[in-house]
Amino acid sequence: MPHLFLSIDARQRDSWLVAFPDMMCGHLDRVAQSSGLVWALLPPGQSVQQVVIRLRKMLGTRPLILMADAPSEDDALAALSAGAAGYCNGHAAPEVLQQVALAVSNGGVWVGQRLMQRLLSATARLLP
Protein backbone atom coordinates (compact mmCIF):
# COMPACT_ATOMS: atom_id res chain seq x y z
CA MET A 1 0.00 0.00 0.00
CA PRO A 2 1.40 3.44 -0.91
CA HIS A 3 2.26 5.88 1.87
CA LEU A 4 2.14 9.64 1.38
CA PHE A 5 3.79 11.74 4.11
CA LEU A 6 2.75 15.40 4.23
CA SER A 7 4.46 18.24 6.08
CA ILE A 8 4.93 21.97 5.74
CA ASP A 9 8.36 21.48 4.15
CA ALA A 10 7.76 18.16 2.33
CA ARG A 11 10.93 16.68 3.84
CA GLN A 12 11.15 13.04 4.77
CA ARG A 13 12.42 11.73 8.07
CA ASP A 14 14.74 8.77 8.25
CA SER A 15 12.33 6.71 10.36
CA TRP A 16 9.58 7.20 7.76
CA LEU A 17 11.86 6.03 4.98
CA VAL A 18 13.07 3.01 6.95
CA ALA A 19 9.46 2.01 7.69
CA PHE A 20 8.27 2.54 4.11
CA PRO A 21 11.13 2.61 1.56
CA ASP A 22 8.68 3.38 -1.28
CA MET A 23 7.04 6.31 0.54
CA MET A 24 6.28 9.65 -1.10
CA CYS A 25 6.51 13.12 0.44
CA GLY A 26 4.38 16.16 -0.23
CA HIS A 27 3.28 19.54 1.06
CA LEU A 28 0.35 19.83 3.45
CA ASP A 29 -1.29 22.33 1.13
CA ARG A 30 -1.04 20.20 -2.02
CA VAL A 31 -2.29 16.67 -1.55
CA ALA A 32 -1.51 14.32 -4.43
CA GLN A 33 -4.39 12.31 -5.81
CA SER A 34 -2.97 8.87 -5.08
CA SER A 35 -4.34 5.91 -3.21
CA GLY A 36 -3.05 4.59 0.07
CA LEU A 37 -2.45 5.93 3.54
CA VAL A 38 -1.87 9.62 4.11
CA TRP A 39 0.31 10.68 7.01
CA ALA A 40 0.31 14.37 7.98
CA LEU A 41 2.77 16.01 10.37
CA LEU A 42 0.97 18.66 12.41
CA PRO A 43 2.59 22.07 11.90
CA PRO A 44 3.61 23.79 15.15
CA GLY A 45 0.98 26.10 16.56
CA GLN A 46 -1.86 24.92 14.32
CA SER A 47 -5.16 23.57 15.54
CA VAL A 48 -5.37 19.79 15.29
CA GLN A 49 -9.06 19.91 14.50
CA GLN A 50 -8.67 22.53 11.75
CA VAL A 51 -5.81 20.64 10.09
CA VAL A 52 -7.72 17.36 10.10
CA ILE A 53 -10.95 18.92 8.83
CA ARG A 54 -9.09 20.66 5.98
CA LEU A 55 -7.28 17.46 5.01
CA ARG A 56 -10.44 15.37 5.25
CA LYS A 57 -12.04 17.65 2.65
CA MET A 58 -9.09 17.09 0.29
CA LEU A 59 -8.73 13.36 0.92
CA GLY A 60 -12.28 12.13 0.69
CA THR A 61 -12.38 8.60 2.08
CA ARG A 62 -8.61 8.03 2.09
CA PRO A 63 -7.30 7.10 5.55
CA LEU A 64 -5.51 9.90 7.41
CA ILE A 65 -2.97 9.47 10.19
CA LEU A 66 -1.98 12.63 12.04
CA MET A 67 1.50 12.85 13.55
CA ALA A 68 2.79 15.37 16.07
CA ASP A 69 6.28 16.19 17.27
CA ALA A 70 4.85 16.95 20.71
CA PRO A 71 1.90 14.54 20.93
CA SER A 72 -0.76 14.87 23.59
CA GLU A 73 -3.79 12.84 24.55
CA ASP A 74 -6.09 15.83 24.09
CA ASP A 75 -4.77 16.41 20.57
CA ALA A 76 -5.21 12.70 19.81
CA LEU A 77 -8.87 12.89 20.85
CA ALA A 78 -9.36 16.04 18.77
CA ALA A 79 -7.75 14.39 15.73
CA LEU A 80 -9.89 11.27 15.99
CA SER A 81 -13.10 13.21 16.56
CA ALA A 82 -12.33 15.35 13.49
CA GLY A 83 -11.92 12.27 11.29
CA ALA A 84 -8.35 11.02 11.54
CA ALA A 85 -7.93 7.24 11.65
CA GLY A 86 -4.78 7.44 13.73
CA TYR A 87 -2.56 9.72 15.78
CA CYS A 88 1.07 9.11 16.66
CA ASN A 89 4.43 10.71 17.38
CA GLY A 90 6.16 12.16 14.31
CA HIS A 91 9.42 10.67 15.61
CA ALA A 92 8.01 7.17 16.14
CA ALA A 93 10.27 4.22 15.44
CA PRO A 94 9.85 2.52 12.05
CA GLU A 95 8.34 -0.55 13.75
CA VAL A 96 5.67 1.59 15.40
CA LEU A 97 4.87 3.32 12.11
CA GLN A 98 4.42 -0.09 10.50
CA GLN A 99 2.04 -1.14 13.31
CA VAL A 100 0.03 2.07 12.84
CA ALA A 101 -0.17 1.44 9.09
CA LEU A 102 -1.29 -2.15 9.60
CA ALA A 103 -4.07 -1.18 12.01
CA VAL A 104 -5.37 1.69 9.88
CA SER A 105 -5.09 -0.13 6.53
CA ASN A 106 -7.23 -2.92 8.03
CA GLY A 107 -9.97 -0.44 8.90
CA GLY A 108 -8.92 0.10 12.50
CA VAL A 109 -8.03 3.15 14.53
CA TRP A 110 -4.65 3.80 16.12
CA VAL A 111 -4.07 5.65 19.38
CA GLY A 112 -1.27 5.39 21.89
CA GLN A 113 -1.40 2.94 24.77
CA ARG A 114 -1.89 5.59 27.47
CA LEU A 115 -4.85 7.14 25.66
CA MET A 116 -6.38 3.72 25.06
CA GLN A 117 -6.09 2.94 28.79
CA ARG A 118 -7.66 6.31 29.61
CA LEU A 119 -10.58 5.64 27.26
CA LEU A 120 -11.10 2.12 28.58
CA SER A 121 -11.02 3.39 32.16
CA ALA A 122 -13.61 6.07 31.37
CA THR A 123 -15.81 3.49 29.66
CA ALA A 124 -15.52 1.08 32.60
CA ARG A 125 -16.72 3.80 34.98
CA LEU A 126 -19.84 4.30 32.84
CA LEU A 127 -20.80 0.61 32.84
CA PRO A 128 -22.95 -0.80 35.66
Side-chain angles (χ1 to χ4, degrees), residues 7-97:
S7 63
I8 57 173
D9 59 7
R11 277 200 263 152
Q12 68 186 26
R13 291 192 174 165
D14 290 341
S15 59
W16 303 349
L17 188 57
V18 170
F20 311 107
D22 60 345
M23 64 164 282
M24 298 172 288
C25 286
H27 287 274
L28 270 173
D29 296 331
R30 296 184 300 270
V31 178
Q33 295 300 319
S34 64
S35 61
L37 294 180
V38 177
W39 304 71
L41 182 62
L42 181 67
Q46 290 198 18
S47 160
V48 170
Q49 195 165 20
Q50 289 176 352
V51 169
V52 172
I53 289 171
R54 182 171 46 85
L55 287 170
R56 286 274 25 113
K57 289 177 183 175
M58 291 189 277
L59 296 173
T61 61
R62 290 165 56 192
L64 171 64
I65 300 163
L66 190 67
M67 301 179 293
D69 285 337
S72 76
E73 291 178 5
D74 290 338
D75 283 350
L77 288 172
L80 296 174
S81 68
Y87 179 88
C88 68
N89 192 319
H91 296 285
E95 298 80 14
V96 173
L97 296 174

Side-chain angles (χ1 to χ4, degrees), residues 86-121:
Y87 179 88
C88 68
N89 192 319
H91 296 285
E95 298 80 14
V96 173
L97 296 174
Q98 291 168 342
Q99 290 174 5
V100 173
L102 182 61
V104 172
S105 65
N106 284 313
V109 173
W110 178 272
V111 294
Q113 183 177 356
R114 284 187 16 211
L115 177 57
M116 181 59 75
Q117 290 171 340
R118 177 177 155 190
L119 294 172
L120 291 173
S121 176

